[in-house]
Amino acid sequence: MEELGRLEDLPLEYRQELLKQNLVPLWPSLRGVLPPKIPTRQTKPIFWEYASIRPLLLEAGDLAPIEKAERRVLVLANPGHGIEKMQASSAIYLGMQLLLPGEYAASHRHTPNAVRMIVEGEGAYTTVDGDKLQMHRGDLILTPTGLWHEHGHEGQEPVIWLDVLDLPIVYYMETSYHEEGKSQNVSNGQLSKLYVHGGVLPTSLNPKSNSQYPMLRYAWADVRASLEVMAKQDPPVEALQVTYVNPLTGQDAENILGFYALMLRPDQTLTLPARSPASVYHVIEGEISVHIAAEQFKLSIADTCCAPGYTPVTLKNHSSTEPAYIFMVDEAPLHRKLGVYEIR
Ligand code: GTQ
């Protein structure tokens, strides 16, 4: 990188005078904040293996009673950002949350948007804005900004899910806070069930017709079925990918992060072009490899990895007989809203 004048080259007295007045010379730092052609990214390609997280999370079940922990979560932190920052990328937070049979994670709401991708176990539910939503493996449950949510467990086995929040960017903006609440008046998740096919919407939305977020649960069975229909098209669709959208607007399900499901045919290799947002890959079914720059990760069911932006990502299905299904997250809605979205 072409170097501009260095800070050390300035007379000490001059630097001290600047410091006293809270002034900084731009030129020694200009290339740092505006690097040539491609941004500096702290987000490193990182991989988290579920088989290694699981025993530690179950141990947390003994070490951290839910009443003390509020949310029992191990955060998947990217060391590129410093792991104490608890971020996977500049905008994405990932956590694995454990809820044991009979436990209840009290109602609260916060400014960051969240989703849960259910990884294991039956019998848990999340109540969002009064809608009691059952959690089955592969389901995506939304808790958009400002909506009350609480988790409960009426089953027999531990339930584990992946939390995805836009906490890092909301925190950076100095807009992150939470509020505790009373238990909610519960209905039975009816509203989300009304949305069956993308092309037709329920005409009457009573009793919550003014909800901005009518669909809060995306059943894996439905999402998988959509991908299978796409896979059968002739001529073939190359990239089998669906976007989780808000059925009222057709736009991304939440404001800041984008959520997608991908299917890889047996033996398929799919290269996603370099795009400005960082992204996350989490295996719902199958065995894949993920190439990110010079790194290559092998991912089995429930494993997760992240990729920096401006980097092509190649996904490969290892099976020659079975499809693979991947849950993907990126920062595209944020980048589009800010006008910085790029495909290279
Ligand atoms: O379940 O509400 O991983 O509030 C981080 C913050 C989960 C939750 C997290 C949260 C939650």
Side-chain angles (χ1 to χ4, degrees), residues 131 140 142 144 190-203 205 208-209 211-219 243-254:
D131 259 350
L140 188 75
L142 262 52
Q190 277 312 111
L191 209 56
S192 292
K193 290 184 192 146
L194 295 178
Y195 294 87
V196 181
H197 293 292
V200 287
L201 300 182
T203 304
L205 286 175
K208 293 208 307 193
S209 53
S211 170
Q212 266 192 76
Y213 296 99
M215 188 156 180
L216 296 168
R217 173 173 179 264
Y218 299 74
T243 304
Y244 292 88
V245 297
N246 181 329
L248 277 189
T249 62
Q251 301 298 308
D252 292 283
E254 289 186 348

Coordinates of all heavy atoms in Angstrom, one line a residue, residues 131 140 142 144 190-203 205 208-209 211-219 243-254:
D131 N -48.0 -15.2 19.8 CA -48.1 -16.4 18.9 C -47.2 -17.5 19.5 O -46.0 -17.3 19.5 CB -47.6 -16.1 17.5 CG -48.7 -15.9 16.5 OD1 -49.9 -16.1 16.9 OD2 -48.4 -15.4 15.4
L140 N -37.5 -22.1 11.0 CA -36.9 -20.8 11.3 C -38.0 -20.0 12.0 O -39.1 -19.8 11.5 CB -36.5 -20.1 10.0 CG -35.8 -18.8 10.2 CD1 -34.3 -19.1 10.7 CD2 -35.7 -17.9 8.9
L142 N -38.9 -16.3 13.7 CA -38.4 -14.9 13.7 C -38.8 -14.2 15.0 O -39.9 -14.4 15.5 CB -39.2 -14.1 12.6 CG -38.5 -13.9 11.3 CD1 -38.0 -15.1 10.7 CD2 -39.5 -13.2 10.3
P144 N -38.6 -10.4 15.3 CA -38.1 -9.1 14.8 C -38.0 -8.1 15.9 O -38.6 -8.2 17.0 CB -39.2 -8.7 13.8 CG -39.9 -10.0 13.5 CD -39.9 -10.8 14.8
Q190 N -51.4 -19.4 15.0 CA -52.3 -19.5 13.8 C -51.9 -18.7 12.6 O -51.9 -19.1 11.5 CB -53.7 -19.1 14.2 CG -54.5 -20.2 14.9 CD -54.4 -21.6 14.2 OE1 -53.8 -22.5 14.7 NE2 -55.0 -21.6 13.0
L191 N -51.4 -17.4 12.9 CA -51.2 -16.5 11.8 C -50.1 -17.0 10.9 O -50.3 -17.0 9.7 CB -50.7 -15.2 12.5 CG -51.1 -13.9 11.7 CD1 -52.6 -13.8 11.4 CD2 -50.6 -12.7 12.5
S192 N -49.0 -17.5 11.4 CA -48.0 -18.0 10.5 C -48.4 -19.2 9.7 O -48.0 -19.4 8.6 CB -46.8 -18.5 11.4 OG -46.2 -17.4 12.0
K193 N -49.4 -20.0 10.2 CA -49.9 -21.1 9.4 C -50.7 -20.7 8.2 O -51.0 -21.6 7.4 CB -50.7 -22.1 10.3 CG -49.8 -22.8 11.4 CD -50.6 -23.7 12.2 CE -49.8 -24.2 13.4 NZ -50.7 -24.4 14.6
L194 N -51.2 -19.5 8.2 CA -52.1 -19.0 7.1 C -51.3 -18.9 5.8 O -51.9 -18.8 4.7 CB -52.8 -17.7 7.5 CG -53.8 -17.8 8.7 CD1 -54.3 -16.4 8.9 CD2 -54.9 -18.8 8.4
Y195 N -50.0 -18.7 5.9 CA -49.2 -18.5 4.7 C -48.7 -19.8 4.2 O -47.7 -20.3 4.8 CB -48.1 -17.5 5.0 CG -48.7 -16.1 5.4 CD1 -49.1 -15.8 6.7 CD2 -48.9 -15.2 4.4 CE1 -49.6 -14.6 7.0 CE2 -49.5 -14.0 4.7 CZ -49.8 -13.7 6.0 OH -50.4 -12.5 6.3
V196 N -49.3 -20.3 3.1 CA -48.9 -21.6 2.7 C -48.1 -21.6 1.4 O -47.1 -22.2 1.2 CB -50.2 -22.5 2.5 CG1 -49.9 -23.9 2.0 CG2 -51.0 -22.5 3.8
H197 N -48.6 -20.8 0.4 CA -47.9 -20.7 -0.9 C -47.6 -19.2 -1.1 O -48.5 -18.3 -0.9 CB -48.8 -21.2 -2.0 CG -48.9 -22.7 -1.9 ND1 -47.9 -23.6 -2.1 CD2 -50.0 -23.5 -1.6 CE1 -48.3 -24.9 -1.9 NE2 -49.6 -24.8 -1.6
G198 N -46.4 -18.9 -1.7 CA -46.0 -17.6 -1.9 C -46.9 -16.7 -2.7 O -47.0 -15.5 -2.5
G199 N -47.6 -17.4 -3.7 CA -48.4 -16.6 -4.6 C -49.8 -16.2 -4.1 O -50.4 -15.4 -4.8
V200 N -50.2 -16.8 -3.1 CA -51.5 -16.4 -2.5 C -51.4 -16.1 -1.1 O -50.7 -16.7 -0.3 CB -52.6 -17.6 -2.7 CG1 -53.0 -17.7 -4.2 CG2 -52.1 -18.9 -2.2
L201 N -52.1 -15.0 -0.7 CA -52.1 -14.5 0.7 C -53.5 -14.6 1.3 O -54.4 -14.4 0.5 CB -51.6 -13.1 0.7 CG -50.2 -12.8 0.2 CD1 -49.8 -11.3 0.4 CD2 -49.1 -13.7 0.9
P202 N -53.6 -14.9 2.6 CA -54.9 -14.8 3.2 C -55.5 -13.4 3.0 O -54.8 -12.4 3.3 CB -54.6 -15.1 4.6 CG -53.1 -15.2 4.8 CD -52.5 -15.2 3.5
T203 N -56.7 -13.3 2.6 CA -57.3 -12.0 2.4 C -57.7 -11.3 3.7 O -57.4 -10.1 3.8 CB -58.6 -12.2 1.5 OG1 -58.2 -12.9 0.4 CG2 -59.2 -10.8 1.1
L205 N -56.9 -10.7 7.5 CA -55.8 -11.0 8.5 C -56.2 -10.8 9.9 O -55.4 -10.7 10.8 CB -54.6 -10.1 8.2 CG -53.8 -10.5 7.0 CD1 -52.7 -9.5 6.8 CD2 -53.2 -11.9 7.1
K208 N -55.1 -9.9 13.9 CA -53.9 -9.0 14.0 C -53.6 -8.4 12.7 O -52.4 -8.5 12.3 CB -52.8 -9.8 14.6 CG -53.1 -10.3 16.0 CD -51.8 -10.4 16.8 CE -50.8 -11.3 16.2 NZ -49.8 -11.8 17.1
S209 N -54.6 -7.9 11.9 CA -54.3 -7.5 10.5 C -53.3 -6.4 10.4 O -52.8 -6.2 9.3 CB -55.7 -7.1 9.9 OG -56.3 -6.1 10.7
S211 N -50.4 -6.3 11.9 CA -49.1 -6.8 12.3 C -48.2 -6.6 11.1 O -48.5 -6.9 10.0 CB -49.1 -8.3 12.7 OG -47.8 -8.7 12.8
Q212 N -47.0 -6.0 11.4 CA -46.0 -5.8 10.3 C -45.3 -7.1 9.9 O -44.7 -7.2 8.9 CB -44.9 -4.9 10.8 CG -45.0 -3.4 10.6 CD -43.7 -2.7 10.9 OE1 -42.7 -2.8 10.2 NE2 -43.7 -2.1 12.1
Y213 N -45.4 -8.1 10.9 CA -44.7 -9.3 10.7 C -45.7 -10.5 10.8 O -45.8 -11.1 11.9 CB -43.6 -9.5 11.7 CG -42.5 -8.4 11.6 CD1 -42.5 -7.3 12.4 CD2 -41.5 -8.6 10.6 CE1 -41.4 -6.4 12.3 CE2 -40.4 -7.7 10.5 CZ -40.4 -6.6 11.3 OH -39.4 -5.6 11.2
P214 N -46.5 -10.7 9.8 CA -47.5 -11.7 10.0 C -47.0 -13.2 10.0 O -47.6 -14.0 10.6 CB -48.4 -11.6 8.7 CG -47.4 -11.0 7.7 CD -46.5 -10.1 8.5
M215 N -45.8 -13.4 9.5 CA -45.3 -14.7 9.5 C -44.0 -14.8 10.3 O -43.0 -14.2 10.1 CB -44.9 -15.1 8.0 CG -44.5 -16.6 7.9 SD -44.8 -17.2 6.3 CE -44.3 -18.9 6.4
L216 N -44.1 -15.6 11.4 CA -43.0 -15.6 12.4 C -42.4 -17.0 12.4 O -41.4 -17.2 13.1 CB -43.6 -15.2 13.8 CG -44.1 -13.8 13.9 CD1 -44.9 -13.6 15.2 CD2 -42.9 -12.8 13.8
R217 N -43.0 -18.0 11.8 CA -42.4 -19.3 11.8 C -42.5 -19.9 10.3 O -43.5 -19.8 9.7 CB -43.3 -20.3 12.6 CG -42.8 -21.7 12.5 CD -43.5 -22.6 13.6 NE -43.1 -24.0 13.4 CZ -43.8 -24.9 12.7 NH1 -44.9 -24.6 12.1 NH2 -43.3 -26.1 12.6
Y218 N -41.3 -20.3 9.8 CA -41.2 -20.9 8.5 C -40.9 -22.4 8.7 O -39.7 -22.7 9.1 CB -40.1 -20.2 7.7 CG -40.4 -18.7 7.5 CD1 -40.2 -17.8 8.5 CD2 -40.8 -18.3 6.2 CE1 -40.5 -16.5 8.3 CE2 -41.0 -16.9 6.0 CZ -40.9 -16.0 7.0 OH -41.1 -14.7 6.8
A219 N -41.8 -23.3 8.5 CA -41.6 -24.7 8.8 C -40.6 -25.2 7.8 O -40.7 -25.0 6.6 CB -43.0 -25.4 8.7
T243 N -35.3 -17.4 -0.6 CA -35.2 -16.3 0.4 C -36.3 -16.3 1.4 O -37.5 -16.4 0.9 CB -35.1 -14.9 -0.3 OG1 -34.0 -15.0 -1.3 CG2 -34.8 -13.8 0.7
Y244 N -36.1 -16.3 2.6 CA -37.2 -16.1 3.6 C -37.6 -14.6 3.5 O -36.9 -13.7 3.8 CB -36.7 -16.4 5.0 CG -36.3 -17.8 5.3 CD1 -35.0 -18.3 5.0 CD2 -37.2 -18.7 5.8 CE1 -34.7 -19.7 5.2 CE2 -36.9 -20.1 6.0 CZ -35.6 -20.5 5.7 OH -35.3 -21.8 6.0
V245 N -38.9 -14.5 3.1 CA -39.4 -13.1 3.0 C -40.7 -12.9 3.8 O -41.3 -13.8 4.3 CB -39.8 -12.8 1.5 CG1 -38.6 -12.9 0.6 CG2 -40.9 -13.7 1.0
N246 N -41.0 -11.6 4.0 CA -42.2 -11.2 4.7 C -43.3 -11.3 3.6 O -43.2 -10.6 2.6 CB -42.0 -9.8 5.2 CG -43.3 -9.3 5.9 OD1 -44.4 -9.7 5.6 ND2 -43.0 -8.4 6.9
P247 N -44.3 -12.2 3.8 CA -45.3 -12.3 2.7 C -46.1 -11.1 2.4 O -46.7 -11.0 1.4 CB -46.2 -13.5 3.3 CG -46.0 -13.5 4.7 CD -44.6 -13.0 5.0
L248 N -46.2 -10.1 3.4 CA -46.9 -8.9 3.1 C -46.2 -8.0 2.1 O -46.8 -7.2 1.4 CB -47.1 -8.1 4.4 CG -48.3 -8.5 5.3 CD1 -48.4 -7.5 6.4 CD2 -49.5 -8.7 4.5
T249 N -44.9 -8.0 2.2 CA -44.1 -7.1 1.4 C -43.3 -7.7 0.3 O -42.9 -7.1 -0.7 CB -43.1 -6.3 2.3 OG1 -42.1 -7.3 2.8 CG2 -43.7 -5.6 3.4
G250 N -43.1 -9.0 0.4 CA -42.2 -9.8 -0.6 C -40.7 -9.4 -0.3 O -39.9 -9.9 -1.1
Q251 N -40.4 -8.6 0.6 CA -39.1 -8.2 0.9 C -38.5 -9.1 2.0 O -39.2 -9.9 2.6 CB -39.0 -6.7 1.4 CG -39.6 -5.8 0.4 CD -38.8 -5.8 -0.9 OE1 -37.6 -5.6 -0.9 NE2 -39.5 -6.0 -2.0
D252 N -37.2 -9.0 2.3 CA -36.5 -9.8 3.3 C -37.3 -9.8 4.6 O -37.9 -8.8 5.0 CB -35.1 -9.2 3.6 CG -34.2 -9.4 2.4 OD1 -33.7 -10.5 2.2 OD2 -34.0 -8.4 1.6
A253 N -37.3 -11.0 5.2 CA -38.1 -11.3 6.4 C -37.7 -10.3 7.6 O -38.6 -9.9 8.4 CB -37.9 -12.7 6.9
E254 N -36.5 -9.9 7.7 CA -36.1 -8.9 8.7 C -35.3 -7.7 8.0 O -34.9 -7.8 6.8 CB -35.3 -9.5 9.8 CG -36.2 -10.4 10.7 CD -35.5 -11.0 11.9 OE1 -34.3 -10.9 12.0 OE2 -36.2 -11.6 12.7

